[in-house]
Amino acid sequence: MASAAERESMRRALTIAGQGPRGVNPQVGAVILATDGTVLAEGWHRGAGTPHAEVDALSRLAPGEARGATAVVTLEPCNHTGRTGPCAEALIAAGVARVVYAVADPGARSSGGATRLRRAGVDVEAGVLLEEGHALLDSWLAVQSLGRPHVTVKWAQSLDGRAAASDGTSKWITGPAARADVHRRRAQSDVIVVGTGTVLTDDPALTARAEDGTLLPQQPLPVVLGARPVPDDALVHRHPHRFLQYSGDLMAVLDDLRMRGAHRVFVEGGPTVAASFVREGLADELLVYVAPVLLGGDMLALRDIGVDTISHARRLSVSSVQTLGDDMLVIAIPTPTPHAADASCGASGRVGPPTSEGDA
């Protein structure tokens, strides 16, 4: 059972972990406690290639000062050698007597630190403030589970499933409350994705904005899918981040975005791009904003997703339905089906490198 001092130190470790960058590596914090519960040192992971949190904390102590101490860490100490050595071995070498951690390391190569520590005679307690630990690492853990960034596919539609009127006009199907919700979700994402068709037709800025039009503090990286060139005067050139442009396989695009540190990808447009993520089994969450209007015609909000018979329908589990002004937001999670799994098996391949816009 974790002591009060250990639980309080875990809260501190979770706080300082947030000072590290969010990206390919997890945000991790560590606090070293003396036998009387006083804090000897603390540290956090500052990014790829830098000392891990445990080693960062130990480096602030004199040789032998950690002997008999307790290490409180937000993530299970790693047990592999990458750019840095195994944290489990560093703790053993320092003479730490007890390790308390919140979240187990899900990595196939990096996990096993707790077992290594126990074999060396170190007392280990797992799952302390587990819920708070998962909240800190939520998006990173999703990437570890999926093997790629988490993908949310969003579209807005009329009640009869149209994304635009017959003449192609679509501003605005939904009202201010729904649009504000979209901008809030953009700011929570690492990447926003549209196709070249949307860029050429709608000229979106792809920024996250407040209701008064000012930019929100957090801005997603804009990504354009498709081979057609983006005009020099397109609004996306004014985005705070230089956009990336890809053409080719979607899984390879997600692989590259993961290597760039992206955890959450927000796919906004248009109907062809949205359909491609759904068809390939790469949509983890669907956000459908439904306006109480009828448009008719053939401007569907979602193009072909590979459903040629009712038995191949993509089944969904609705997680919530929200009212936003006059509009409705349906949030749904795709339910795996044998047909969908077969389709997603083809979602691996090569993609060309980013264009010069992505070299920044």
Side-chain angles (χ1 to χ4, degrees):
M1 178 73 69
S3 67
E6 290 169 345
R7 294 176 67 84
E8 185 59 34
S9 294
M10 183 64 78
R11 293 187 182 91
R12 174 60 182 168
L14 289 164
T15 298
I16 62 176
Q19 298 182 43
R22 200 182 78 163
V24 176
N25 297 103
Q27 294 172 300
V28 182
V31 175
I32 309 297
L33 296 177
T35 53
D36 63 358
T38 59
V39 175
L40 295 174
E42 59 183 37
W44 65 91
H45 185 47
R46 290 168 169 78
T50 65
H52 289 187
E54 303 94 315
V55 175
D56 184 48
L58 290 171
S59 70
R60 304 174 192 283
L61 300 176
E65 194 175 356
R67 189 163 301 281
T70 296
V72 179
V73 194
T74 57
L75 183 67
E76 177 188 2
C78 68
N79 192 43
H80 83 295
T81 300
R83 296 187 186 181
T84 60
C87 293
E89 295 294 342
L91 292 167
I92 293 168
V96 168
R98 177 170 162 82
V99 172
V100 176
Y101 68 86
V103 179
D105 191 328
R109 292 193 308 126
S110 55
S111 62
T115 299
R116 177 68 188 93
L117 289 164
R118 290 188 179 103
R119 286 175 179 168
V122 178
D123 183 36
V124 177
E125 182 163 348
V128 176
L129 298 189
L130 179 62
E131 186 174 337
E132 293 90 333
H134 272 285
L136 169 71
L137 295 172
D138 177 58
S139 61
W140 180 81
L141 290 169
V143 173
Q144 308 317 301
S145 175
L146 294 167
R148 57 168 175 78
H150 179 278
V151 175
T152 295
V153 177
K154 164 264 174 182
W155 68 80
Q157 66 174 57
S158 63
L159 194 60
D160 55 344
R162 269 57 183 178
S166 296
D167 64 355
T169 55
S170 61
K171 289 188 176 182
W172 296 97
I173 290 179
T174 55
R179 296 198 295 274
D181 187 74
V182 169
H183 282 280
R184 179 180 65 83
R185 294 176 187 275
R186 284 183 181 181
Q188 294 173 346
S189 303
D190 301 309
V191 175
I192 181 171
V193 177
V194 296
T196 51
T198 295
V199 171
L200 296 172
T201 302
D202 297 337
D203 192 22
L206 301 184
T207 51
R209 302 183 296 277
E211 292 186 36
D212 62 2
T214 57
L215 296 182
L216 295 174
Q218 299 298 320
Q219 292 294 322
L221 172 70
V223 166
V224 179
L225 299 181
R228 287 180 290 178
V230 174
D232 292 339
D233 61 350
L235 287 177
V236 71
H237 287 288
R238 304 179 196 173
H239 195 285
H241 304 302
R242 298 184 70 186
F243 73 88
L244 301 177
Q245 185 169 4
Y246 301 88
S247 61
D249 180 80
L250 292 181
M251 189 63 204
V253 171
L254 292 175
D255 283 343
D256 188 70
L257 292 174
R258 178 190 183 188
M259 294 306 297
R260 293 171 182 269
H263 291 178
R264 296 198 174 274
V265 172
F266 195 63
V267 178
E268 279 218 37
T272 300
V273 168
S276 66
F277 278 90
V278 174
R279 185 174 59 249
E280 299 295 340
L282 297 174
D284 303 301
E285 178 183 57
L286 301 178
L287 303 181
V288 183
Y289 295 84
V290 183
V293 298
L294 300 174
L295 295 176
D298 58 0
M299 303 294 284
L300 296 176
L302 196 64
R303 300 286 193 246
D304 176 36
I305 58 172
V307 175
D308 52 7
T309 182
I310 193 65
S311 63
H312 289 171
R314 302 301 180 101
R315 303 293 177 181
L316 306 173
S317 174
V318 175
S319 56
S320 73
V321 178
Q322 305 171 23
T323 300
L324 299 169
D326 292 332
D327 305 313
M328 179 173 62
L329 168 61
V330 179
I331 303 178
I333 309 298
T335 301
T337 64
H339 178 68
D342 291 343
S344 66
C345 287
S348 60
R350 294 188 300 274
V351 66
T355 64
S356 58
E357 287 291 340
D359 295 337

